[in-house]
Amino acid sequence: MAAVYKSLSRLQADKDEDQINGERKEKKNRQKLLVLSSRGVTHRHRHLINDLYSLLPHSRKDAKLDTKTKLYQLNELADLYSCNNVLFFEARKGKDLYAWISKPPNGPTIKMHVQNLHTMEELHFTGNCLKGSRSILNFDMRFSITENPHLPLIRELLTQVFGVPKTSRKVKPFVDHVMSFTYLEGRIWVRNYQILETEPKNDKVGQGQGQVNGTVDGEQEGDEDREARKSKKGRKGDTHIQLVEIGPRFVLTPIVVLESSFGGPVIYENKEFVSPNQIRSELRKARSGRFNRRTEGEIDRKVKKGDLGLVTEGGRKSERDALDARDLFA
């Protein structure tokens, strides 16, 4: 009880001090992310979650969730850990992976299908970044177009999930990588790049030739050549900036947007999305239909040959047996 009284009195003292000074403090970006998965994730899914956890210093990792139907329990779990963002990975049948992004306790919630995922260990890219550093978020211009009203909402949620605040406990004061979100063909393509700065190599051969010419020719070097050499020396500090991919890389397909956190009415639904279960079912039906047609054709050919007496055994025309069905039931 004493601790509660002290905290409340401290808050009241801070408010009084702000009113006296007449200064408004800068609003802090207090974002904390809860990252967890369901049962049934594969090793590739687990490695992807670990990569994202290492890239997001403001995230907290929790144990696997036992249920896949009562997702509203994640709101209580986020409240327990004081997290205002939830990134939940749901695995289905050991093959499919779905990502839920939510803002507890009031929402909204986005469900997306994760495809073409590649972890850092698989890619073997040369890029690298400091663990705990902040990133620059780069969004495609299609996210700001009003023709797709769900894209600005997805952009805002991705910004709050992948945008690392300055006040995070584990954050480093560096910005050395870029996370790119590109919307193409109804999918969001996510890439991670390192900001690599390299200095240009000095032209030592040209400088040596200039010194030799200057000593041999004496005063043949004019004022213009001296100015050119001075300007060339002054450009030693210039750096070339390029992007080198780090990983991981994956593709997100939006499925549905819910109004509240892990529930509520549907705001947006992707009518073009086809579940992987339906795709696998159609493929099995196509293969089974092809086999059934081939089997029925073989049976029809045998019946026709039997009616014409062209049934052969070992390449020779077989004679009718005394117990042949055509003779017994004629």
Side-chain angles (χ1 to χ4, degrees):
M1 195 68 185
V4 175
Y5 176 74
K6 286 182 180 179
S7 62
L8 292 176
S9 60
R10 190 181 298 114
L11 290 175
Q12 186 64 29
D14 295 339
K15 290 181 181 179
D16 296 339
E17 185 180 356
D18 293 341
Q19 291 177 0
I20 293 173
N21 297 332
E23 297 178 356
R24 298 184 62 184
K25 295 183 179 179
E26 183 181 357
K27 186 178 180 181
K28 295 183 179 180
N29 182 17
R30 300 184 183 275
Q31 299 292 336
K32 194 173 180 182
L33 176 65
L34 178 63
V35 180
L36 72 164
S37 65
S38 65
R39 297 287 180 182
V41 292
T42 62
H43 67 283
R44 300 182 72 247
H45 300 163
R46 187 172 62 253
H47 290 173
L48 175 64
I49 296 172
N50 292 333
D51 292 343
L52 293 177
Y53 176 70
S54 62
L55 289 174
L56 303 175
H58 68 297
S59 61
R60 178 189 177 89
K61 192 176 179 182
D62 195 44
K64 296 178 181 178
L65 190 69
D66 292 330
T67 180
K68 295 182 181 179
T69 56
K70 301 177 182 179
L71 297 183
Y72 56 85
Q73 296 178 359
L74 292 172
N75 298 325
E76 301 177 0
L77 197 62
D79 187 20
L80 180 63
Y81 292 122
S82 301
C83 297
N84 53 2
N85 297 287
V86 176
L87 179 58
F88 175 66
F89 290 94
E90 180 185 0
R92 294 284 183 179
K93 295 186 176 181
K95 301 177 182 178
D96 308 325
L97 184 65
Y98 297 91
W100 294 78
I101 300 177
S102 177
K103 289 285 295 181
N106 299 323
T109 305
I110 300 176
K111 181 182 179 182
M112 293 182 285
H113 183 217
V114 184
Q115 292 176 298
N116 302 332
L117 60 94
H118 300 280
T119 60
M120 291 184 182
E121 296 181 357
E122 294 178 352
L123 297 174
H124 299 289
F125 283 133
T126 58
N128 192 9
C129 65
L130 180 66
K131 185 175 181 179
S133 62
R134 301 175 64 230
S135 62
I136 300 174
L137 302 183
N138 180 28
F139 288 91
D140 189 11
M141 61 177 298
R142 294 182 180 87
F143 282 94
S144 57
I145 298 177
T146 57
E147 295 179 357
N148 300 320
H150 65 284
L151 290 182
L153 177 61
I154 295 176
R155 174 179 178 177
E156 182 63 26
L157 284 179
L158 292 176
T159 302
Q160 297 186 17
V161 168
F162 291 96
V164 181
K166 296 180 181 179
T167 57
S168 181
R169 183 171 58 91
K170 300 179 182 179
V171 71
K172 302 293 191 304
F174 299 101
V175 179
D176 58 353
H177 63 284
V178 180
M179 293 200 70
S180 173
F181 300 90
T182 306
Y183 185 79
L184 182 64
E185 297 179 356
R187 296 177 176 88
I188 301 173
W189 306 72
V190 183
R191 299 291 184 268
N192 187 24
Y193 300 95
Q194 177 195 2
I195 302 175
L196 183 62
E197 298 182 1
T198 57
E199 295 184 358
K201 296 181 180 179
N202 296 328
D203 192 2
K204 297 180 180 180
V205 178
Q207 292 178 1
Q209 291 179 356
Q211 292 176 0
V212 171
N213 293 334
T215 55
V216 174
D217 297 338
E219 297 179 355
Q220 290 183 0
E221 184 181 9
D223 296 336
E224 296 180 358
D225 297 335
R226 293 193 187 94
E227 294 294 334
R229 284 197 297 107
K230 290 181 181 179
S231 62
K232 188 175 182 180
K233 290 180 181 179
R235 291 196 300 268
K236 284 185 179 179
D238 296 342
T239 57
H240 298 292
I241 299 176
Q242 58 182 352
L243 298 179
V244 181
E245 188 170 358
I246 305 173
R249 54 164 60 176
F250 51 93
V251 180
L252 301 174
T253 304
I255 302 175
V256 67
V257 179
L258 305 178
E259 185 177 357
S260 61
S261 181
F262 297 103
V266 177
I267 300 176
Y268 167 78
E269 184 178 2
N270 188 4
K271 301 294 184 181
E272 298 179 357
F273 175 74
V274 181
S275 66
N277 283 332
Q278 186 175 354
I279 294 175
R280 289 191 290 266
S281 176
E282 294 293 336
L283 292 175
R284 286 195 298 268
K285 287 180 181 179
R287 288 196 294 267
S288 63
R290 193 164 55 247
F291 174 77
N292 293 336
R293 288 191 297 269
R294 187 169 62 249
T295 306
E296 291 176 359
E298 292 178 359
I299 294 174
D300 293 339
R301 285 194 297 273
K302 288 182 180 179
V303 170
K304 290 180 180 179
K305 288 182 179 180
D307 294 338
L308 297 175
L310 301 176
V311 179
T312 59
E313 295 179 359
R316 296 182 180 180
K317 186 175 180 181
S318 63
E319 299 179 356
R320 283 191 179 183
D321 191 10
L323 300 177
D324 192 276
R326 288 170 291 182
D327 294 335
L328 290 175
F329 303 101

